[in-house]
């Protein structure tokens, strides 16, 4: 495989079979089954087996460790190729600490004002590397779970996985 070559694999996880897309030496996509904004077939390259591709195998290992609760951060290289605004939003998503959430409005404020909240929401929804770039940590202004390209049940599962033990212990259900 040459540098810059796109390829993909489907990997089994506790959240279902995920589509991982690699571009050269970086992870360029991580998509859920029935993802709201899946990549075009022409953009995912050839299909490879997970263990035959070192980058995809490493990304899959890190995602599985995260889902098992034994990893909090990812160090697999990522390449997103978004427009300038989206890249700024995705950079902010990477800064949200494990176990914490923020709102679309708070992100919009950091980028120039509340009027940008809808654009922020669009960029969050088009995050090509779900989980690794933690878009699941963005919630509605009232703390409600709002749109998630992988579905609200998966968003809830990811947030519960990251929930601090003291918060979990204080819940009634």
């Amino acid at each position: 495989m040459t540098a810059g070559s796109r390829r993909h694999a489907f990997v089994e996880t506790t959240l279902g079979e995920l589509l991982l897309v690699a571009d050269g030496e970086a992870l360029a996509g991580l998509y859920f089954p029935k993802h709201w904004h899946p990549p075009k077939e022409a953009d995912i390259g050839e299909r490879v087996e997970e263990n035959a591709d070192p980058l995809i195998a490493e990304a899959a290992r890190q995602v599985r460790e995260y889902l098992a609760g034994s990893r909090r951060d990812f160090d697999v290289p990522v390449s997103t190729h978004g427009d300038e605004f989206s890249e700024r939003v995705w950079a902010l998503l990477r800064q949200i600490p494990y176990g914490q959430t923020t709102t679309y409005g708070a992100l919009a404020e950091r980028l120039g004002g509340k009027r940008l909240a809808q654009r922020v929401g669009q960029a969050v929804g088009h995050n090509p590397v779900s989980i690794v770039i933690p878009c699941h940590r963005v919630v509605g202004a009232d703390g409600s779970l709002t749109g998630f390209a992988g579905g609200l049940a998966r968003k809830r599962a990811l947030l519960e996985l990251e929930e601090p033990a003291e918060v979990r212990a204080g819940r009634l259900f």
Side-chain angles (χ1 to χ4, degrees):
M1 267 172 253
T2 60
S5 63
R6 286 235 170 188
R7 65 246 184 235
H8 72 278
F10 292 94
V11 301
E12 286 297 328
T13 73
T14 56
L15 291 180
E17 186 179 63
L18 303 180
L19 167 63
L20 272 59
V21 180
D23 185 7
E25 296 305 314
L27 184 66
L30 189 157
Y31 302 93
F32 296 101
K34 299 181 181 174
H35 202 92
W36 286 359
H37 307 289
K40 296 177 184 133
E41 193 167 327
D43 293 338
I44 63 174
E46 70 174 301
R47 183 171 182 168
V48 298
E49 292 303 314
E50 173 185 336
N51 293 323
D53 188 286
L55 175 68
I56 288 176
E58 177 61 17
R61 182 182 68 78
Q62 289 187 25
V63 168
R64 288 186 185 115
E65 288 174 354
Y66 165 82
L67 293 173
S70 62
R71 173 179 286 276
R72 290 179 168 224
D73 299 305
F74 296 89
D75 56 20
V76 65
V78 172
S79 177
T80 50
H81 303 290
D83 61 39
E84 181 184 345
F85 185 81
S86 294
E87 291 292 343
R88 289 174 60 206
V89 171
W90 300 334
L92 290 177
L93 295 179
R94 290 179 175 115
Q95 295 173 17
I96 306 168
Y98 181 95
Q100 295 184 27
T101 59
T102 191
T103 66
Y104 298 95
L107 292 173
E109 285 289 342
R110 291 184 63 190
L111 292 167
K114 291 261 188 205
R115 71 191 188 300
L116 296 172
Q118 186 173 10
R119 281 186 68 198
V120 166
Q122 290 171 342
V124 169
H126 284 85
N127 168 19
V129 191
S130 297
I131 302 175
V132 176
I133 298 177
C135 51
H136 59 278
R137 296 178 186 154
V138 183
V139 297
D142 61 358
S144 63
L145 298 187
T146 57
F148 184 63
L152 291 182
R154 286 189 187 98
K155 183 171 188 166
R156 182 175 293 107
L158 292 168
L159 291 172
E160 287 175 357
L161 172 72
E162 295 186 10
E163 188 174 53
E166 62 274 8
V167 173
R168 191 173 320 125
R171 273 201 274 139
L172 298 176
F173 50 93

